Amino acid sequence: MRFLTKKLLALAAFAAPTFAGVEADSTDDFQRFSAVPIIGYTEETKYQFGAMAIIFFRPEFEGGNATELDLSFYGTTRKQVTGSISPKFYFLKDQISGELDLHYDNWVGNYFGRGNNPDIDDFRKFDRRTFYLTSLTESNFGTKQWLKDFRYGFFFEINYTDIDLNRYHYHGNLNRPENTDGWRNGIGYHLSMDTRDNTNWARHGYLVQWGHYFYNKGMGDYSYTHQELDVRGYTEFIWNTSMAVGLLWQRVDGNAPFDKLAGSDGLKRFRGVEKNYFYGNQAMFLQMEFRKKLFWRLAGDIFFEGGKTGDYFSDLMRNKWHRSLGFGGRLALNQKENLYARCEFSWVDFKNIGMTMYVRDAF
């Protein structure tokens, strides 16, 4: 109980956002921007201190999607620093959409070794400095009316990472990973069928998405491919509750760096653990979540997640599932856009407590 109470007290200030930029005219309730302090605690970061701001731009037509500019920066008591600039844009009456993510990390992390069965007490600590720019642009130009929900797009990533595994003394049994530093630059394509009523908190519809990304030594220091199939469904449940279910399958082939292999990300896919807590050439995740508005700008959710990894498909199918049960609170940053900040607790493998703080839904 002391363990949980400490973290709940540390997160109390998280629910203290600033909502501003709402026009004075009562007939126009468009919200210009939102800001929220980042004050919290997780197992990976310890205490966090920072801020996030989101600027909203009017949609081109009534009922259209609003373009956003996300800005965030925070540091931690583990001497971790991260910042990002992430515009999300819609053009030509939402026929073209996309997002950019310009991101910098100076991060202290833990390497648990490759495989599906990590030992939480056996890890190598490392320092990582990462700068990356990713972009995903989608469109439905040229599609028939009956295919209006079909979208195709282009992806690219420019990524430079430097990982120091020698700074901290280590006495365990883990071998040092082979592929660490260097440029990870790639391009790829994206195909999707998307009938969701909202890209933030969806209440109806489905998403079926396929991505195939190619990294080559002609563009960087590594040659590998990344494939993923993402399937999600949304519906209304009892007591005005929203239900979301999801399946994600990932496959990485080639000499990818250890931190770019398929595995848990700790924020969206298998929350409450460190990134790549378990990982391999292939990974699979199943998720179910129930979301409900409560009062004012507050909402809540409960969720169940399963995940596992393997070096090939039959290995993936044989391996045991990691399981997680959790709940969380949400704070609306923009009610009209259904945009929420969330803070969630996870009971990982029914043994360890994890915590996640993020903006937007996990899936």
Side-chain angles (χ1 to χ4, degrees):
M1 289 302 298
R2 288 196 303 270
F3 177 83
L4 288 174
T5 302
K6 177 182 176 182
K7 292 169 175 52
L8 286 168
L9 290 174
L11 282 164
F14 180 70
T18 300
F19 301 101
V22 180
E23 302 228 354
D25 186 352
S26 61
T27 62
D28 186 356
D29 62 350
F30 183 75
Q31 184 173 322
R32 298 290 186 179
F33 66 88
S34 179
V36 59
I38 299 173
I39 304 176
Y41 183 98
T42 72
E43 293 305 305
E44 181 175 5
T45 64
K46 305 308 179 186
Y47 291 98
Q48 304 173 348
F49 302 95
M52 168 177 284
I54 304 175
I55 303 171
F56 302 95
F57 301 88
R58 289 183 180 278
E60 292 183 314
F61 61 96
E62 184 67 28
N65 292 302
T67 293
E68 303 173 16
L69 176 61
D70 297 3
L71 307 168
S72 70
F73 177 85
Y74 69 88
T76 78
T77 53
R78 283 191 69 190
K79 299 181 179 180
Q80 300 156 322
V81 176
T82 183
S84 66
I85 302 174
S86 304
K88 296 173 175 57
F89 54 85
Y90 297 88
F91 296 134
L92 299 179
K93 295 187 176 181
D94 292 358
Q95 291 186 87
I96 297 177
S97 63
E99 59 183 82
L100 292 170
D101 190 6
L102 181 64
H103 194 99
Y104 173 76
D105 272 343
N106 191 337
W107 203 255
V108 177
N110 295 324
Y111 167 67
F112 293 94
R114 181 182 182 131
N116 192 55
N117 300 300
D119 182 350
I120 197 171
D121 297 316
D122 186 13
F123 57 85
R124 282 181 175 268
K125 187 180 291 187
F126 61 81
D127 271 356
R128 183 186 68 222
R129 289 171 296 280
T130 299
F131 169 83
Y132 66 78
L133 172 66
T134 61
S135 174
L136 176 63
T137 305
E138 294 184 312
S139 176
N140 61 357
F141 271 126
T143 59
K144 303 293 184 181
Q145 180 61 28
W146 59 275
L147 271 178
K148 61 182 178 63
D149 297 316
F150 174 74
R151 303 183 74 85
Y152 55 90
F154 174 75
F155 167 88
F156 78 82
E157 178 178 9
I158 300 172
N159 180 315
Y160 180 78
T161 300
D162 176 56
I163 298 177
D164 183 358
L165 283 149
N166 298 319
R167 182 173 178 179
Y168 302 98
H169 197 60
Y170 175 69
H171 287 291
N173 299 314
L174 289 176
N175 293 323
R176 177 191 172 97
E178 294 182 1
N179 298 329
T180 56
D181 304 336
W183 289 95
R184 301 94 172 271
N185 303 328
I187 59 174
Y189 66 90
H190 213 256
L191 306 173
S192 66
M193 285 290 293
D194 189 355
T195 68
R196 293 175 296 174
D197 61 324
N198 191 286
T199 56
N200 292 318
W201 179 340
R203 289 175 170 80
H204 301 283
Y206 64 87
L207 170 70
V208 179
Q209 189 167 264
W210 170 257
H212 199 172
Y213 314 133
F214 305 87
Y215 298 79
N216 190 273
K217 284 189 176 181
M219 299 181 288
D221 295 317
Y222 299 94
S223 292
Y224 63 95
T225 62
H226 178 105
Q227 304 168 64
E228 66 177 44
L229 175 65
D230 191 353
V231 181
R232 313 178 196 178
Y234 307 89
T235 188
E236 294 291 333
F237 200 61
I238 58 175
W239 304 317
N240 199 30
T241 299
S242 301
M243 182 176 71
V245 294
L247 165 91
L248 176 70
W249 171 76
Q250 297 176 324
R251 174 177 172 175
V252 177
D253 292 317
N255 66 329
F258 80 94
D259 57 323
K260 297 289 279 186
L261 290 171
S264 58
D265 65 11
L267 289 175
K268 299 180 179 181
R269 306 299 182 167
F270 213 84
R271 287 160 272 185
V273 299
E274 294 196 38
K275 178 178 172 59
N276 281 355
Y277 175 60
F278 54 93
Y279 73 94
N281 287 106
Q282 296 194 35
M284 182 179 292
F285 300 93
L286 296 174
Q287 298 173 283
M288 176 178 288
E289 185 167 287
F290 297 93
R291 308 161 181 167
K292 181 173 176 59
K293 288 186 176 181
L294 300 175
F295 59 90
W296 186 56
R297 291 177 176 265
L298 298 180
D301 62 68
I302 58 174
F303 59 88
F304 174 80
E305 296 183 299
K308 58 180 177 177
T309 61
D311 286 333
Y312 41 89
F313 192 73
S314 60
D315 184 42
L316 177 69
M317 292 295 101
R318 287 196 305 267
N319 283 342
K320 292 183 178 180
W321 289 94
H322 292 277
R323 296 162 293 171
S324 176
L325 183 66
F327 69 95
R330 296 158 172 255
L331 183 64
L333 303 181
N334 189 319
Q335 290 177 301
K336 190 172 182 180
E337 298 296 325
N338 279 336
L339 178 60
Y340 284 77
R342 55 185 173 88
C343 175
E344 296 160 328
F345 291 91
S346 304
W347 190 17
V348 178
D349 285 332
F350 307 122
K351 294 186 295 185
N352 306 307
I353 300 294
M355 189 178 300
T356 304
M357 296 171 59
Y358 201 68
V359 174
R360 294 186 173 83
D361 284 297
F363 66 101

